[in-house]
Amino acid sequence: MKIGIVAPSPVPFCIGGAEKLCWGLLNHVNQETPHTAELIKLPSREHNFWDLISTYREFARLDLSHFDLLISGKYPAWMVQHPNHVCYMLHRLRGLYDTYHFARLPLECDRSHPMVAGLVDLMTRHYGAPEGLEDFFGEVDRLRGADIPPEYFAFPGPLIRQIIHFLDGIGLAPSRIRKYSAIARNVAGRPDYFPSGADVHVAYPPSDLKYFRSGEQKYFFTVGRLDGAKRIRLLVEAMLRSRTNVPFKIAGTGPDEADLRNLAGSDPRIEFLGFINDDDLIRLYADALAVPYVPYDEDYGLVTIEAMASGKPVLTTTDAGGPNEFVRNGQTGYVVEPSPDALAERLEYMGAHRQDLLAMKSACQQTVRPVTWERVCDVLLPTHGAQRRAASAAAGSKPKITLTVTFPIYPPRGGGQSRIFHLFRKLASSFDIDIVSLGEHGQPETEQFIADGLQEFRIPKSLRHAQKEGRLSSKMGNVPVSDVVAPKLYRLTPRYLEVLKRSAGGSDWLVASHPYLLPAVLEVRTTQGLIYEAQDVEVALKTEILPNNRLGRYFIKMTQMVEREACEQSGLVMTCSDQDGAALQRIYGMDPEKIVVVPNGVDLDSVTYRALNTRHELKRRLRSGTPFTVLFMASWHGPNIEAALCLLQIARLLPHIHFLLLGSVGQYLQHFGFELPPNVELLGVVSDETKDETLGWVDLAINPMETGSGTNLKMLDYMAAGTPILSTAFGARGLDIRNGVHGRLAPLIEFPRVIEEIQNQDKGVTAAMVEAARKHVAERFSWEVIAREFLTAMQSRRPKQQALSAPVGSG
């Protein structure tokens, strides 16, 4: 296939991210695929109103019909008409779109001049219609020779904004674009960037640097154009306010260089390097302690990719845009508010906690490892991914798994997300794995590798699906019901079934995570092995949550039907604990030979372990003067709510102890107006960084659970972080925790007494338990160990093919 990559050539010429992207894609297509490609560029002037109009017209007149496929990524290149045109969006002209509001100009132009009013009327009548495009340019030309006040032709201004929106609407109309894709979710989700309802696929482009390495931890380093959008000034101001002794090296040139040097003054820590070549850039990344990178709403941000590929965490801000798709707070860097004070505090923290940053190296590199041109071509080129997978299969490559789930997986926040992400990320060394997940209505469809060998296809619910789900939820007391209603509603999102069928067609195994999309799985299944990933005993869980009314009882029965079907149809059933396996056998009469216990685990790379002396120092720094503090982490979930209410009773009996409730269960207590004792503090839902810090300084973590199913992930987080633990025996189920060795186990009624015992016990005893608990988790419950044991079970017991039956609940 002959491919044309069409792009603007900036006037005056400079090399930026768009140029590097085009060169990288061109080189990969020509060197690594059976296709051939050429880069076609036209000079692009956008200094004023008329230059921009002229550039749009030149691209609209370009005939590239001698290519089989056309790829464009930036205005005005997408004006080229071609029957097989793929848009790989970098961004639109941002000063006339998402940053136009900064100019404080009106959205609509003054219509008092009749010729301008006529042009605006013409655009309104024919928006998105390519017919008569040359006539439209003629109408614009008429304005140039007319007696029209010059303020109409301001750039930026409301008239040029309306014209460019009109022209982009034609160039990017669904009738002219075969496939929409974007370089980042940030771009895919911007208002007015894509036609309403368009399916937008995300494909992250890699860096053009030849290689990366990780060296020492000598300095903070950043690189970029020295202008307002990159906000280097914000970093210099933060550095001037900080007390860190770590040097800060800044590479790059730009219009703000002189002002930035004046701002830095004589501070010996701040060094401007000017232009640097690629070899120097690789070296500077390698020896950095961390990479501060704080642009405003960056489209993508290659600096983030390059830093993490070098094993360096990135410090960014909540409004940075693209970088936040990779920076996970406390795991691959830090995300703070865009203020000099917030950045200064984090610079000081990083300078004083080098080991914490070093511990992020593996997670950083793993996060960006899937960012390759091969993945980009899988998205952009028709059949390329299928051809590559077929070639790999012919060469004896890895078998494939397709997993279905009713909620998005990446980034993992809740327990269910974390289990799927971390377990199947580890299994991806032996399998190619597709996760086909349901997303919320209104979000873009995404297709991205979330780890090496692990790809998530996120399909947003259709409007009808979302509306019907909302109505059902309101009739059941507004409890979350997106999972339990999925067996009845999944066909209202036909795109989900389409993507699932395509993925399943090349798979050896189908995995139903939770039973609710089993009807969809059975609808597309042919000869693949079937696995039920039972994170809970769903019928027991939903009986506790759903209301005891007609509709609630109906969906409890529906849950029981699909869970029974999952147990009967599957060759393997993964449970979190022996107790859950026994419950499924008791309820459904399931063959016990099918059951494989796959316990919940912990990602040791993402949890900072702090020994007892370190914990005391962190508490002194963060919460000086706070009394002995007890933590309970819990979400808004029936069994957690019961435990939280017990905690309130315990707190009233121990007024000298401080209690922290972390997670959405606190929102439940607030919503329903529960009276809190003065020694109870609600933290609510917090960032990964705050969670990690809190686990690092509290004196004790408790788990007062007495109901529920599965195992409690919070227990693994507690032990991995080095937090002393107290749990009921039920709360520690499936984890083989030994009382007095890994922590303390006690009946709930004895919690007040045991908490005081732990407060007063010998520190050496506490330290020994903490160390034993961490070792226990590492040896038994790291995801790597769990995945390896499950893989052995899969290989020894390939699921028996069951007779196929009609899907449950799909009528």
Side-chain angles (χ1 to χ4, degrees):
M1 185 164 58
K2 299 178 178 65
I3 300 170
I5 302 171
V6 59
S9 177
V11 178
F13 180 72
C14 63
I15 297 174
E19 286 65 41
K20 292 182 177 182
L21 183 149
C22 289
W23 295 337
L25 179 58
L26 177 73
N27 181 68
H28 183 83
V29 170
N30 285 328
Q31 300 298 321
E32 305 295 337
T33 78
H35 312 296
T36 56
E38 183 177 12
L39 178 60
I40 303 99
K41 303 187 80 174
L42 293 180
S44 179
R45 298 173 178 84
E46 51 182 89
H47 306 105
N48 57 55
F49 183 103
W50 296 109
D51 279 353
L52 190 58
I53 296 294
S54 175
T55 301
Y56 264 80
R57 178 168 14 204
E58 288 167 6
F59 274 97
R61 289 174 171 173
L62 198 57
D63 181 3
L64 297 177
S65 57
H66 57 298
F67 290 100
D68 301 308
L69 173 72
L70 207 65
I71 299 173
S72 65
K74 191 176 177 183
Y75 66 93
W78 46 62
M79 294 304 297
V80 181
Q81 188 167 4
H82 192 280
N84 195 15
H85 191 161
V86 173
C87 172
Y88 184 31
M89 175 82 74
L90 281 73
H91 58 80
R92 296 207 187 191
L93 204 173
R94 300 191 63 187
L96 299 181
Y97 281 88
D98 45 297
T99 65
Y100 180 77
H101 62 282
F102 289 127
R104 299 183 182 278
L105 295 169
L107 296 179
E108 307 293 336
C109 73
D110 180 5
R111 296 168 56 92
S112 59
H113 194 285
M115 292 182 67
V116 173
L119 182 69
V120 171
D121 289 341
L122 178 65
M123 290 188 287
T124 302
R125 289 196 306 271
H126 298 285
Y127 187 84
E131 298 81 9
L133 185 57
E134 194 60 38
D135 291 339
F136 172 77
F137 282 117
E139 289 297 315
V140 176
D141 282 342
R142 289 181 59 222
L143 302 183
R144 193 168 196 168
D147 184 18
I148 296 176
E151 54 266 24
Y152 275 103
F153 306 120
F155 178 69
L159 180 56
I160 191 63
R161 176 185 176 276
Q162 288 183 258
I163 291 173
I164 296 307
H165 279 236
F166 172 75
L167 292 173
D168 288 343
I170 291 174
L172 294 170
S175 60
R176 290 170 60 120
I177 298 296
R178 178 191 179 103
K179 186 174 188 178
Y180 298 98
S181 54
I183 61 171
R185 291 200 308 272
N186 188 44
V187 174
R190 282 181 181 151
D192 300 326
Y193 265 42
F194 294 93
S196 177
D199 291 331
V200 183
H201 303 264
V202 173
Y204 295 120
S207 167
D208 65 336
L209 293 179
K210 299 184 291 293
Y211 66 93
F212 300 94
R213 65 179 181 86
S214 184
E216 301 181 47
Q217 295 179 301
K218 297 180 179 179
Y219 43 74
F220 296 123
F221 171 66
T222 196
V223 57
R225 182 169 169 78
L226 305 185
D227 62 16
K230 301 302 181 184
R231 297 200 300 199
I232 303 297
R233 168 176 287 272
L234 188 57
L235 288 176
V236 173
E237 290 175 345
M239 193 68 185
L240 292 172
R241 297 187 189 196
S242 76
R243 294 166 294 180
T244 182
N245 59 3
V246 179
F248 182 27
K249 296 179 181 291
I250 302 169
T253 61
D256 292 353
E257 183 172 352
D259 288 343
L260 291 170
R261 287 180 180 273
N262 287 335
L263 177 64
S266 58
D267 192 315
R269 299 171 301 169
I270 303 174
E271 180 182 3
F272 290 90
L273 305 176
F275 171 80
I276 57 172
N277 60 35
D278 284 356
D279 289 337
D280 286 338
L281 182 57
I282 292 168
R283 174 182 57 79
L284 285 160
Y285 276 131
D287 290 332
L289 174 62
V291 175
Y293 183 55
V294 297
Y296 172 75
D297 194 22
E298 183 76 6
D299 304 313
Y300 174 43
L302 273 174
V303 171
T304 310
I305 306 301
E306 293 167 350
M308 290 190 179
S310 306
K312 305 301 177 178
V314 174
L315 170 61
T316 192
T317 54
T318 53
D319 62 352
N324 286 303
E325 296 177 37
F326 299 92
V327 181
R328 300 195 303 277
N329 220 347
Q331 298 179 39
T332 57
Y334 297 101
V335 183
V336 301
E337 292 299 315
S339 72
D341 287 339
L343 287 162
E345 183 279 330
R346 199 46 26 177
L347 290 170
E348 290 178 4
Y349 178 88
M350 292 191 296
H353 294 81
R354 292 170 180 257
Q355 283 302 117
D356 289 0
L357 304 188
L358 190 60
M360 295 181 187
K361 174 181 173 180
S362 175
C364 288
Q365 292 172 328
Q366 198 169 60
T367 296
V368 299
R369 191 170 292 127
V371 178
T372 65
W373 283 121
E374 189 173 71
R375 311 299 195 202
V376 172
C377 287
D378 282 354
V379 172
L380 299 185
L381 307 185
T383 74
H384 176 75
Q387 290 172 347
R388 182 170 61 81
R389 286 189 288 270
S392 297
S397 68
K398 298 183 291 186
K400 182 182 174 186
I401 292 172
T402 295
L403 179 146
T404 63
V405 65
T406 58
F407 48 83
I409 296 304
Y410 191 83
R413 298 296 185 197
Q417 291 173 315
S418 294
R419 176 179 169 87
I420 293 172
F421 175 72
H422 291 297
L423 173 59
F424 286 90
R425 177 168 64 93
K426 296 299 183 183
L427 290 173
S429 61
S430 300
F431 298 89
D432 287 323
I433 301 175
D434 287 352
I435 296 173
V436 186
S437 63
L438 273 172
E440 292 304 315
H441 172 69
Q443 295 180 344
E445 177 178 330
T446 60
E447 175 183 330
Q448 64 168 326
F449 279 85
I450 57 178
D452 197 17
L454 180 62
Q455 189 171 18
E456 181 177 8
F457 298 83
R458 185 179 305 174
I459 313 301
K461 297 168 190 170
S462 69
L463 178 60
R464 284 185 64 209
H465 188 148
Q467 288 174 335
K468 191 155 189 178
E469 179 183 307
R471 288 195 293 269
L472 290 170
S473 176
S474 67
K475 291 178 181 178
M476 288 188 277
N478 291 316
V479 298
V481 296
S482 58
D483 51 0
V484 294
V485 302
K488 298 295 291 184
L489 302 187
Y490 74 90
R491 281 184 172 170
L492 297 181
T493 302
R495 176 66 177 160
Y496 184 86
L497 204 59
E498 176 188 331
V499 173
L500 177 61
K501 184 175 182 179
R502 185 183 69 201
S503 174
S507 289
D508 302 277
W509 306 74
L510 303 181
V511 178
S513 180
H514 302 75
Y516 302 107
L517 285 170
L518 179 71
V521 172
L522 296 179
E523 195 167 334
V524 303
R525 183 188 180 204
T526 52
T527 61
Q528 304 94 334
L530 181 60
I531 299 174
Y532 171 38
E533 202 255 327
Q535 293 197 10
D536 297 286
V537 179
E538 293 295 324
V539 69
L541 192 63
K542 298 309 179 186
T543 299
E544 295 175 358
I545 294 174
L546 295 181
N548 186 23
N549 60 22
R550 184 186 62 81
L551 203 57
R553 291 190 295 272
Y554 172 84
F555 278 104
I556 290 170
K557 184 177 180 181
M558 173 65 68
T559 298
Q560 188 171 35
M561 289 173 63
V562 292
E563 189 166 47
R564 179 185 299 277
E565 187 84 351
C567 292
E568 292 176 352
Q569 289 283 338
S570 300
L572 283 181
V573 176
M574 302 162 59
T575 65
C576 294
S577 65
D578 289 322
Q579 291 92 329
D580 282 3
L584 292 174
Q585 291 178 58
R586 185 179 67 255
I587 297 169
Y588 302 116
M590 188 179 65
D591 180 359
E593 289 298 312
K594 291 182 177 184
I595 295 175
V596 179
V597 176
V598 183
N600 280 324
V602 64
D603 180 32
L604 295 175
D605 292 334
S606 66
V607 180
T608 304
Y609 173 74
R610 294 178 174 90
L612 210 58
N613 59 336
T614 306
R615 305 177 66 81
H616 294 157
E617 171 59 26
L618 185 62
K619 182 177 182 180
R620 184 196 62 76
R621 187 166 61 82
L622 296 178
R623 287 289 189 109
S624 180
T626 304
F628 189 86
T629 301
V630 175
L631 171 71
F632 177 49
M633 300 195 311
S635 62
W636 186 329
H637 172 54
N640 285 332
I641 292 168
E642 293 176 15
L645 295 177
C646 290
L647 180 143
L648 298 185
Q649 296 300 320
I650 295 168
R652 291 186 178 97
L653 296 173
L654 300 173
H656 56 290
I657 304 289
H658 189 62
F659 289 84
L660 290 181
L661 265 173
L662 187 153
S664 56
V665 72
Q667 296 169 344
Y668 172 89
L669 298 177
Q670 288 180 318
H671 180 76
F672 289 100
F674 284 89
E675 183 179 351
L676 302 180
N679 58 331
V680 172
E681 178 183 352
L682 303 183
L683 291 182
V685 178
V686 300
S687 67
D688 290 340
E689 177 196 16
T690 300
K691 174 185 169 183
D692 187 67
E693 279 190 345
T694 304
L695 283 168
W697 69 263
V698 295
D699 299 290
L700 176 67
I702 65 171
N703 191 25
M705 303 282 285
E706 292 194 307
T707 60
S709 62
T711 54
N712 291 150
L713 278 168
K714 60 175 72 71
M715 290 293 291
L716 298 173
D717 285 336
Y718 293 163
M719 292 189 287
T723 312
I725 57 170
L726 165 63
S727 176
T728 58
F730 184 86
R733 65 200 180 281
L735 299 177
D736 295 332
I737 293 173
R738 293 165 58 195
N739 185 30
V741 175
H742 305 118
R744 296 291 301 273
L745 302 179
L748 193 55
I749 196 171
E750 295 183 13
F751 266 39
R753 175 182 62 80
V754 179
I755 288 173
E756 290 189 312
E757 285 183 6
I758 295 171
Q759 180 185 12
N760 297 314
Q761 76 184 3
D762 182 84
K763 302 306 179 191
V765 173
T766 304
M769 289 186 189
V770 162
E771 291 171 10
R774 169 71 180 197
K775 182 180 179 183
H776 180 62
V777 166
E779 292 177 351
R780 295 281 308 280
F781 296 101
S782 75
W783 283 118
E784 189 166 353
V785 170
I786 291 169
R788 186 164 59 242
E789 292 177 352
F790 176 62
L791 182 60
T792 300
M794 287 183 70
Q795 292 169 338
S796 63
R797 291 192 282 172
R798 179 173 175 85
K800 301 172 184 177
Q801 300 301 318
Q802 306 291 321
L804 303 183
S805 63
V808 173
S810 59

